[in-house]
Amino acid sequence: MTTAVERGAAAPVPGLQPGRSAARRPPAEPARRPIWHRVLFVAALVGAAVLFMLPFVWLVSASLRPREYVFAPGFLPVPFAPENYAEAWQAVPLLTWFGNSVLVGVAAAAAVTLSSAWVAFGFAYFRFPGRNLLFGLVLATMMLPFAVTMIPTYLIWSNLGLTDTQVPLWAGNLFGSAFYIFLLRQFLLSLPREYFEAARMDGASYPQLFWKLAFPLIRPALLVAFVFEFKASWTDLLKPLIYLRNEQLYTLPRGLKVVLDRFGYGGEQQWEVVLAGSVLATLPMIILFFLAQRHFVEGIATTGRKG
């Protein structure tokens, strides 16, 4: 004997074929855009890429021409003169300046990345009265232009006897940067708080929370901060102009200023040497971006998500 529920379950459902489940239909696929939309989009991207690449292409081409053809029209290096790079390498100590730039750039980037990450972890994890106000004051320091703090900062380094050294070029980053603190805090807020609470219940200290849990999880954002600051240090001319007097301590931007003064306007008018030195100073940044491109884009794409 069957019950009413069993009979109802066994009865065929109107509108359905026997033996076929009433599964929900899969959602309809979104309509694909017309082909001409994609063609216009790709054409716009290619046009923008070509527009931004033209100055660098001209720079490379002009650096490979003899002196009398440097400013000739066109983008082909005709006549071809690769010896300009050897001349630029021998005219000034580019290798020494390159090493100084690498040393200062790595020190500045590592200092600001680690210090900013530590401060950002404090703002993201701890809950205390006035936290938002204090964070707002940190962000307010971004409103101060460098020209306002330039003289007081110079007086501090001068009283410490550290002028004409490379220390002022990177040591200020040990106190963090408001921009990187904001960037890393937003990334830390996207991490589930339960991870940290579980680690605290297991006996982890606050430094262990940062180094063993937060630090590995925010590597993409840390890499973004490192690359940003390394690029800023690599192209910085103002600080080396203020603090450095010894030519052996020059970074590449400060050295290129010497090359420009010696071989450019007011000098020997050897523009092929100036352009060759500019290309040599630009290539490391291009190589660094291509090596870190995947992590760089990942860090930019995920920074700012909160959930």
Side-chain angles (χ1 to χ4, degrees):
M1 181 179 296
T2 61
T3 63
V5 175
E6 292 173 344
R7 289 195 299 270
V13 180
L16 290 179
Q17 297 181 2
R20 181 174 297 181
S21 61
R24 182 180 297 178
R25 291 183 178 180
E29 296 183 359
R32 299 183 63 182
R33 293 182 178 180
I35 186 66
W36 63 271
H37 280 187
R38 286 179 287 169
V39 171
L40 287 179
F41 180 71
V42 173
L45 289 180
V46 172
V50 171
L51 183 64
F52 281 95
M53 287 177 61
L54 278 179
F56 182 71
V57 172
W58 180 89
L59 175 66
V60 175
S61 175
S63 67
L64 292 170
R65 300 175 187 174
R67 184 178 310 171
E68 58 272 17
Y69 295 96
V70 167
F71 296 105
F75 291 94
L76 294 178
V78 179
F80 189 61
E83 62 272 9
N84 294 339
Y85 286 86
E87 184 179 354
W89 196 266
Q90 296 172 1
V92 291
L94 281 177
L95 184 60
T96 301
W97 298 343
F98 180 85
N100 292 337
S101 290
V102 172
L103 179 63
V104 172
V106 170
V112 80
T113 301
L114 293 177
S115 59
S116 299
W118 186 250
V119 177
F121 175 75
F123 279 118
Y125 179 78
F126 295 104
R127 304 288 190 265
F128 54 89
R131 183 188 66 161
N132 293 334
L133 175 61
L134 183 59
F135 183 67
L137 292 176
V138 171
L139 295 183
T141 60
M142 298 174 62
M143 303 291 291
L144 294 174
F146 178 73
V148 174
T149 60
M150 180 173 59
I151 296 177
T153 303
Y154 176 82
L155 293 177
I156 292 174
W157 292 119
S158 178
N159 291 331
L160 292 174
L162 293 175
T163 55
D164 201 20
T165 68
Q166 296 175 348
V167 175
L169 304 185
W170 63 268
N173 289 352
L174 292 172
F175 301 97
S177 167
F179 173 75
Y180 299 124
I181 291 172
F182 171 77
L183 183 145
L184 295 171
R185 173 184 175 271
Q186 294 304 111
F187 201 97
L188 284 163
L189 288 176
S190 67
L191 302 178
R193 189 175 178 84
E194 290 77 11
Y195 291 170
F196 301 98
E197 298 298 338
R200 284 290 295 165
M201 293 180 63
D202 290 338
S205 62
Y206 293 125
Q208 288 175 331
L209 288 183
F210 176 75
W211 291 110
K212 295 185 177 181
L213 189 59
F215 193 85
L217 293 175
I218 63 173
R219 278 179 184 167
L222 292 174
L223 184 60
V224 170
F226 187 92
V227 172
F228 273 8
E229 186 60 27
F230 187 85
K231 181 263 177 187
S233 175
W234 188 271
T235 58
D236 184 22
L237 174 61
L238 187 56
K239 286 182 180 179
L241 277 174
I242 295 173
Y243 294 104
L244 300 182
R245 298 293 180 268
N246 186 353
E247 188 171 305
Q248 295 300 315
L249 298 177
Y250 285 177
T251 57
L252 270 176
R254 182 65 181 92
L256 288 179
K257 179 66 168 59
V258 173
V259 174
L260 182 61
D261 294 339
R262 186 180 304 174
F263 299 101
Y265 289 116
E268 302 175 12
Q269 300 291 319
Q270 298 181 19
W271 288 104
E272 72 281 2
V273 177
V274 177
L275 297 179
S278 301
V279 172
L280 292 174
T282 306
L283 285 178
M285 284 293 96
I286 299 176
I287 296 173
L288 176 64
F289 176 79
F290 276 105
L291 291 178
Q293 183 179 12
R294 181 174 63 88
H295 302 285
F296 184 77
V297 174
E298 179 185 356
I300 289 292
T302 54
T303 298
R305 294 181 185 174
K306 179 180 178 181

PDB file of all heavy atoms in Angstrom, residues 1-12:
ATOM      1  N   MET A   1       0.851  -1.195   0.000  1.00  0.00           N
ATOM      2  CA  MET A   1       0.000   0.000   0.000  1.00  0.00           C
ATOM      3  C   MET A   1       0.882   1.238   0.000  1.00  0.00           C
ATOM      4  O   MET A   1       1.817   1.342   0.771  1.00  0.00           O
ATOM      5  CB  MET A   1      -0.917  -0.003   1.224  1.00  0.00           C
ATOM      6  CG  MET A   1      -1.855   1.203   1.281  1.00  0.00           C
ATOM      7  SD  MET A   1      -2.924   1.149   2.719  1.00  0.00           S
ATOM      8  CE  MET A   1      -3.877  -0.324   2.353  1.00  0.00           C
ATOM      9  N   THR A   2       0.554   2.166  -0.850  1.00  0.00           N
ATOM     10  CA  THR A   2       1.334   3.391  -0.966  1.00  0.00           C
ATOM     11  C   THR A   2       0.605   4.524  -0.303  1.00  0.00           C
ATOM     12  O   THR A   2      -0.634   4.599  -0.313  1.00  0.00           O
ATOM     13  CB  THR A   2       1.589   3.732  -2.426  1.00  0.00           C
ATOM     14  OG1 THR A   2       0.350   3.929  -3.071  1.00  0.00           O
ATOM     15  CG2 THR A   2       2.380   2.620  -3.114  1.00  0.00           C
ATOM     16  N   THR A   3       1.357   5.449   0.225  1.00  0.00           N
ATOM     17  CA  THR A   3       0.773   6.626   0.859  1.00  0.00           C
ATOM     18  C   THR A   3       0.446   7.670  -0.190  1.00  0.00           C
ATOM     19  O   THR A   3       0.845   7.582  -1.363  1.00  0.00           O
ATOM     20  CB  THR A   3       1.745   7.215   1.896  1.00  0.00           C
ATOM     21  OG1 THR A   3       2.906   7.640   1.209  1.00  0.00           O
ATOM     22  CG2 THR A   3       2.118   6.162   2.938  1.00  0.00           C
ATOM     23  N   ALA A   4      -0.204   8.742   0.227  1.00  0.00           N
ATOM     24  CA  ALA A   4      -0.573   9.818  -0.690  1.00  0.00           C
ATOM     25  C   ALA A   4       0.666  10.569  -1.164  1.00  0.00           C
ATOM     26  O   ALA A   4       0.748  11.012  -2.315  1.00  0.00           O
ATOM     27  CB  ALA A   4      -1.544  10.790  -0.006  1.00  0.00           C
ATOM     28  N   VAL A   5       1.665  10.689  -0.271  1.00  0.00           N
ATOM     29  CA  VAL A   5       2.877  11.379  -0.671  1.00  0.00           C
ATOM     30  C   VAL A   5       3.611  10.592  -1.727  1.00  0.00           C
ATOM     31  O   VAL A   5       4.118  11.142  -2.708  1.00  0.00           O
ATOM     32  CB  VAL A   5       3.764  11.614   0.565  1.00  0.00           C
ATOM     33  CG1 VAL A   5       5.095  12.221   0.163  1.00  0.00           C
ATOM     34  CG2 VAL A   5       3.057  12.513   1.566  1.00  0.00           C
ATOM     35  N   GLU A   6       3.686   9.270  -1.551  1.00  0.00           N
ATOM     36  CA  GLU A   6       4.366   8.441  -2.530  1.00  0.00           C
ATOM     37  C   GLU A   6       3.642   8.438  -3.856  1.00  0.00           C
ATOM     38  O   GLU A   6       4.255   8.472  -4.919  1.00  0.00           O
ATOM     39  CB  GLU A   6       4.485   7.016  -1.999  1.00  0.00           C
ATOM     40  CG  GLU A   6       5.428   6.908  -0.807  1.00  0.00           C
ATOM     41  CD  GLU A   6       5.386   5.511  -0.209  1.00  0.00           C
ATOM     42  OE1 GLU A   6       4.429   4.776  -0.519  1.00  0.00           O
ATOM     43  OE2 GLU A   6       6.308   5.178   0.575  1.00  0.00           O
ATOM     44  N   ARG A   7       2.277   8.422  -3.800  1.00  0.00           N
ATOM     45  CA  ARG A   7       1.535   8.462  -5.055  1.00  0.00           C
ATOM     46  C   ARG A   7       1.727   9.794  -5.759  1.00  0.00           C
ATOM     47  O   ARG A   7       1.839   9.876  -6.978  1.00  0.00           O
ATOM     48  CB  ARG A   7       0.047   8.217  -4.783  1.00  0.00           C
ATOM     49  CG  ARG A   7      -0.276   6.786  -4.394  1.00  0.00           C
ATOM     50  CD  ARG A   7      -1.776   6.543  -4.507  1.00  0.00           C
ATOM     51  NE  ARG A   7      -2.527   7.416  -3.614  1.00  0.00           N
ATOM     52  CZ  ARG A   7      -2.849   7.110  -2.360  1.00  0.00           C
ATOM     53  NH1 ARG A   7      -2.461   5.957  -1.822  1.00  0.00           N
ATOM     54  NH2 ARG A   7      -3.535   7.955  -1.619  1.00  0.00           N
ATOM     55  N   GLY A   8       1.759  10.868  -4.971  1.00  0.00           N
ATOM     56  CA  GLY A   8       1.972  12.183  -5.575  1.00  0.00           C
ATOM     57  C   GLY A   8       3.350  12.295  -6.199  1.00  0.00           C
ATOM     58  O   GLY A   8       3.538  12.918  -7.241  1.00  0.00           O
ATOM     59  N   ALA A   9       4.377  11.700  -5.557  1.00  0.00           N
ATOM     60  CA  ALA A   9       5.718  11.754  -6.105  1.00  0.00           C
ATOM     61  C   ALA A   9       5.830  10.908  -7.347  1.00  0.00           C
ATOM     62  O   ALA A   9       6.607  11.210  -8.254  1.00  0.00           O
ATOM     63  CB  ALA A   9       6.730  11.281  -5.051  1.00  0.00           C
ATOM     64  N   ALA A  10       5.045   9.801  -7.393  1.00  0.00           N
ATOM     65  CA  ALA A  10       5.132   8.924  -8.551  1.00  0.00           C
ATOM     66  C   ALA A  10       4.324   9.429  -9.720  1.00  0.00           C
ATOM     67  O   ALA A  10       4.521   8.998 -10.857  1.00  0.00           O
ATOM     68  CB  ALA A  10       4.668   7.518  -8.167  1.00  0.00           C
ATOM     69  N   ALA A  11       3.368  10.315  -9.487  1.00  0.00           N
ATOM     70  CA  ALA A  11       2.523  10.796 -10.568  1.00  0.00           C
ATOM     71  C   ALA A  11       3.326  11.655 -11.523  1.00  0.00           C
ATOM     72  O   ALA A  11       4.169  12.441 -11.097  1.00  0.00           O
ATOM     73  CB  ALA A  11       1.345  11.603  -9.999  1.00  0.00           C
ATOM     74  N   PRO A  12       3.072  11.518 -12.841  1.00  0.00           N
ATOM     75  CA  PRO A  12       3.806  12.325 -13.825  1.00  0.00           C
ATOM     76  C   PRO A  12       3.431  13.793 -13.718  1.00  0.00           C
ATOM     77  O   PRO A  12       2.291  14.134 -13.431  1.00  0.00           O
ATOM     78  CB  PRO A  12       3.379  11.731 -15.164  1.00  0.00           C
ATOM     79  CG  PRO A  12       2.042  11.125 -14.901  1.00  0.00           C
ATOM     80  CD  PRO A  12       2.090  10.610 -13.494  1.00  0.00           C
TER      81      PRO A  12
END
